[in-house]
Amino acid sequence: MPNRRPNILFIMSDDHGAQAISAYGSGLNQTPNLDRLAQNGAKLNHCYVTNSICTPSRAAILTGTHNHVNGVTTLYTHLNNQLPNVAKYLQAGGYQTAMVGKWHLGEGPEHCPTGFDFWSVLPNQGDYFDPPMTENGEAIQPKGYATEIITQKCSDWIKQRHPDKPFFMMCHHKAPHRPWQYHPKYEHLFQDEIPYPATFDDTYENRAKAASEARMRVESHMTYLDLDLVQPYIPAANQEYSEMGKKTAQMMVPFPETDEDCKQLKLICSRTGEVFTFESRNQLKRFKYQRYMQKYLRTVASIDESVGQLLDLLEAEGIAEDTIVIYTSDQGFFLGEHGWYDKRFIYDESFRMPFLVQYPREIPAGVTIDSMASNVDFAPTWLDYAGLPTPSHMQGYSMRSILKGNEPDDWQQTAYHRYWMNQDEDHNAYAHYGIRDHHYKLIYWYNEQLDAPGSNPATHPEKDWELFDLKADPLELRNSFYDTDKKDIVIRMLHMLDQKQAEIGDIPQHDSQQVIATL
Ligand code: CA
């Protein structure tokens, strides 16, 4: 039946960097089921997020618009569920629709999922074990591990679907989000030393201050809970001294200034009671990375298993040929690169989204695609496959041609990013925007509050620009914005940035003519 409209199974995890997928050449882990998706279809090397953080990325995907349009600029600005979204268009266009797992766009009548025939979601960040959920507006209390519960609910819904209508399902995993609680059956994995990224000991020289000021370092900004270590008892009255503040009372594991002080430190595993001691800062830093990555990669193992189960189900149901299956993450993630965990930045590890897709009727098997795409393109792509028009307010472009391996002559050559939360108290990441093409990346750290919730009003602006030559310096270690021989490139990138901001209606915080006058 060549005219049959495809089902769309969109599987998205939370904070899964492409570095932890073997199809992307990971030296860290094996993900045979994600790789199976890549072998059956396409792998995108240049899919980017418009704002590298959970809630805004989800809003961009669902609405097909940038965050200044959909209003979800930060973690604390929830989606107005009266706005149009792609599920509503697909539902009105004859699709049966479902949303299962992490929603993270707000709760209650004004923010709960809309446009879905069935929805079952984790409140806020959700829990890994026995997670409370809200199902079609009712509180439920399933037992078990979140990744398995979400997979089971998706499988059950697919099995009971109406066979005569195509379906659109969003399967949104909580994993591998912090605090990386894995299923006990994967405890045995990653016992050997996990390799360190090339930039693990980055000293943040030759860059804007944003890099050195961010509190996202593996060495000093991970909590006892993050690393499954026993946190010292702190009387409630003193809890304001914990670095993460009163609201969580999660304390950072110390990173003493000297090797001598490291020798005084004793850390206790909260799972086994094992006691760890240290001879040096270097040893302590590596210990933290190993524990972080062990936990992270074990949660990814469950994601990979889930993807395999869903692919098996589609084959068993006889609908693999008729179903577009996408795997992505709401953004990338730092896995020790630049010494960091977390996301937020336009630097490639967090800017880039993994994107694997199979659709045997149309997408060739085993192809790698280098065309530029971003998360606002997802909604127009689904509508295109469904034979429905893309509403004029959507700002992305259908990826259907590029997924077939045909890049149209007028296809976008850039990806835009804007992070609005300035210097939030936990991570101290500077607000910024920027643009990337296949060769260069231009970043403006405007670093002002601009009334974005979550921003710290007490900080003073430290504005700066960065230019990275991604061919000569793919690890983004040297800011070449101020190099006199890069002036023409800076001007060209500024022009592209201005053009993009004008196209999408985002308000610049810079004046390119003034910037050029100072070069
Ligand atoms: Ca996320």
Side-chain angles (χ1 to χ4, degrees), residues 207-209 433-434 442-446 462-468 479-482 490 493-494 497-498 501 509-512 515-516 518-519:
R207 256 150 304 156
K209 208 171 168 185
Y433 53 68
L442 179 72
I443 310 170
Y444 183 41
W445 302 96
Y446 64 88
E462 288 176 85
K463 301 175 189 305
D464 205 353
W465 288 89
E466 286 187 319
L467 178 78
F468 292 100
N479 177 16
S480 53
F481 184 86
Y482 301 101
V490 168
M493 294 301 290
L494 277 168
L497 177 62
D498 290 346
Q501 290 188 320
Q509 305 301 311
H510 71 281
D511 177 332
S512 285
V515 176
I516 291 166
T518 64
L519 292 174

Side-chain angles (χ1 to χ4, degrees), residues 48 285 515:
Y48 296 97
K285 179 177 176 179
V515 176

Side-chain angles (χ1 to χ4, degrees), residues 15-22 26-32 34 128 145 147 175-177 179-183 185-197 226 289-305 333-337:
D15 295 359
H16 190 179
Q19 315 94 296
I21 296 177
S22 39
S26 166
L28 298 171
N29 60 340
Q30 291 300 318
T31 50
L34 290 166
Y128 273 104
Y145 184 62
T147 306
H177 191 279
W180 313 295
Q181 290 172 336
Y182 54 85
H183 194 290
K185 71 184 175 189
Y186 290 127
E187 175 87 37
H188 65 285
L189 296 180
F190 307 105
Q191 300 287 351
D192 295 336
E193 187 174 72
I194 295 161
Y196 297 90
D226 288 338
Y289 171 80
Q290 293 296 329
R291 279 184 87 80
Y292 160 42
M293 290 306 296
Q294 270 182 350
K295 291 184 65 184
Y296 184 94
L297 294 173
R298 288 171 185 167
T299 65
V300 169
S302 284
I303 295 284
D304 187 66
E305 179 185 32
F333 212 69
F334 294 103
L335 304 180
E337 297 88 1

Side-chain angles (χ1 to χ4, degrees), residues 14-15 54 330-331 343:
D14 194 343
D15 295 359
C54 309
D330 60 346
Q331 14 56 216
K343 54 243 181 182

